[in-house]
Amino acid sequence: MTTKIRPRALVRASGGPRYAVALVVDALGTGLLRPFLLLYGVTVLRLSASATGIAMTAGVVVGLVCMPAVGRWLDRGARSTAVAASMLVRVVGVALLLVTPAGDVGLFATAALFLGIGNQAWPAAHAALVATVAQGRERDAALAGGRALRNAGLGAGGLLATACLAGGTTALRALAVVTGLAYLVAAVLAWSVRLRARPVAAPAAVDGPAPRMRALLAANVVYVFCLNVPEIALPLVLVTQLHASPVWPAVIFVANTVLVVTLQVPVTVLMSRFARRTALALGGVVLAASYLGFLVATSWSAPAVAVVSVLCTFGEIIYAGSATALVTALAPAHVVGRALARFQLSTGFGLAVSPAVITALASRGPAVLWGSLAAATLVSASAVAKER
């Protein structure tokens, strides 16, 4: 069964106009601060790079630990309130950043903790809200539309932040203030939607626990590596192995953002002619093919790597358009919150470990890096296709 792209219906299925504006404002704020949080700790607070990195990693890890509680809250009916709370938690994080004195790594770590909790809780809360408003393939398109909007906001926020960096310490503090205000405005808009789901009791006919989707969640840890390929793997390969200009990683990253923003919804709608599980497995095959393409391209030139990166982005788009949609379709209504929370746990874990894994594999050469990623992704795609 396929659906058509109808902008008004898509906005309505995504939570309505106010919620769409909240998504964009929230993404703008995240785009302003997220790439430069490390710089804030090192430049403004005079912390060491290692201490700043450890504090940021701890924030992500503790944010993941909070996900089971978020899942239970969602299963009790929270929707727009949960989304708004994930934004307000980040307001607290930004406020703590602004009052942190130079050299205070403890308070910086606390700020990173609140930012991490909000960043981890938001995807599950957003997906649960969309799953309440829309059903079937319209829900898949709405989830894709939300991702496209978010990527547009992240890209615009990142560009604005880059333009402000020439201002030094003062500019970084100003970026933090604007980020906090953006999160606050987004939280108010999201809360104003006032959407709540009626808690659903487990049907009497259902025996045993809800499906744990072990293969899907394990595969997702590997799939999510694709999100860090443009940000970590390709810059590492281009600059250290091909000795290319730093302009090339920037071009690839911008192209990735533009393609996701413009094609996420159309490709998701096109893939609706396939079963969600089939689409997700196909996305893994495309990603694996792109990794093998990178292996060949790294022996040629930076332009060849850029061309292959387009194929990798298509794999990412197929994966992103089918993975969360598959979870919401598989999970019974009374445990959809916990299912989404477990899915976010696997996503967050994959994002957390992928930088270390990618850099470790890259140190052993292109064949080890791209061959390992391709093999692991193909195994994951096979596991997704076979799980029932």
Side-chain angles (χ1 to χ4, degrees):
M1 178 181 177
T2 60
T3 186
K4 296 181 180 179
I5 302 175
R6 295 186 295 271
R8 290 185 179 179
L10 190 60
V11 170
R12 185 171 60 252
S14 301
R18 278 178 297 170
Y19 186 71
V21 174
L23 292 185
V24 174
V25 174
D26 176 74
L28 274 170
T30 303
L32 285 171
L33 185 63
R34 190 176 69 175
F36 304 106
L37 185 57
L38 181 65
L39 285 178
Y40 190 96
V42 173
T43 305
V44 178
L45 303 181
R46 308 295 181 186
L47 303 174
S48 68
S50 60
T52 306
I54 291 171
M56 292 171 61
T57 301
V60 173
V61 172
V62 177
L64 289 174
V65 171
C66 296
M67 288 311 300
V70 173
R72 289 191 293 271
W73 189 25
L74 292 172
D75 285 337
R76 288 197 292 267
R79 291 296 182 266
S80 58
T81 303
V83 175
S86 72
M87 297 169 177
L88 286 174
V89 165
R90 284 175 283 177
V91 174
V92 175
V94 173
L96 289 173
L97 276 183
L98 293 171
V99 301
T100 300
D104 192 337
V105 68
L107 197 53
F108 176 78
T110 305
L113 167 62
F114 280 97
L115 290 170
I117 292 173
N119 289 333
Q120 296 300 328
W122 181 86
H126 166 69
L129 186 146
V130 173
T132 302
V133 175
Q135 299 296 321
R137 293 297 184 173
E138 187 180 54
R139 177 186 59 212
D140 299 9
L143 289 169
R147 183 170 192 259
L149 275 177
R150 185 161 181 80
N151 274 267
L154 288 171
L159 288 175
L160 288 172
T162 302
C164 293
L165 278 182
T169 299
T170 302
L172 285 172
R173 287 191 179 277
L175 284 175
V177 172
V178 174
T179 299
L181 291 174
Y183 286 152
L184 183 60
V185 170
V188 172
L189 287 171
W191 178 81
S192 70
V193 174
R194 294 179 180 273
L195 178 66
R196 181 177 177 82
R198 179 176 299 177
V200 180
V206 175
D207 294 322
R212 295 189 179 275
M213 303 174 290
R214 291 188 179 91
L216 174 60
L217 298 180
N220 185 56
V221 173
V222 177
Y223 269 81
V224 82
F225 274 53
C226 73
L227 301 180
N228 274 332
V229 164
E231 296 185 26
I232 297 172
L234 295 186
L236 189 63
V237 169
L238 287 166
V239 175
T240 64
Q241 296 178 11
L242 291 179
H243 306 290
S245 167
V247 172
W248 280 107
V251 168
I252 290 174
F253 182 78
V254 170
N256 172 273
T257 301
V258 171
L259 288 173
V260 170
V261 171
T262 56
L263 297 180
Q264 184 67 71
V265 174
V267 171
T268 301
V269 170
L270 180 65
M271 295 302 295
S272 66
R273 64 188 67 237
F274 301 104
R276 296 179 183 89
R277 189 180 296 278
T278 302
L280 183 55
L282 179 60
V285 173
V286 174
L287 287 171
S290 73
Y291 297 152
L292 295 177
F294 285 131
L295 176 59
V296 176
T298 50
S299 63
W300 288 357
S301 63
V305 173
V307 171
V308 176
S309 71
V310 175
L311 179 63
C312 184
T313 300
F314 270 95
E316 174 191 333
I317 289 171
I318 296 172
Y319 154 67
S322 56
T324 304
L326 178 59
V327 173
T328 58
L330 289 177
H334 65 284
V335 292
V336 68
R338 276 165 282 182
L340 288 169
R342 289 201 298 269
F343 182 74
Q344 180 58 28
L345 270 172
S346 69
T347 299
F349 178 76
L351 289 174
V353 303
S354 57
V357 173
I358 288 173
T359 52
L361 292 175
S363 67
R364 298 178 178 274
V368 174
L369 171 61
W370 301 116
S372 298
L373 289 179
T377 307
L378 281 176
V379 170
S380 299
S382 176
V384 167
K386 291 179 179 179
E387 186 183 41
R388 290 292 180 270

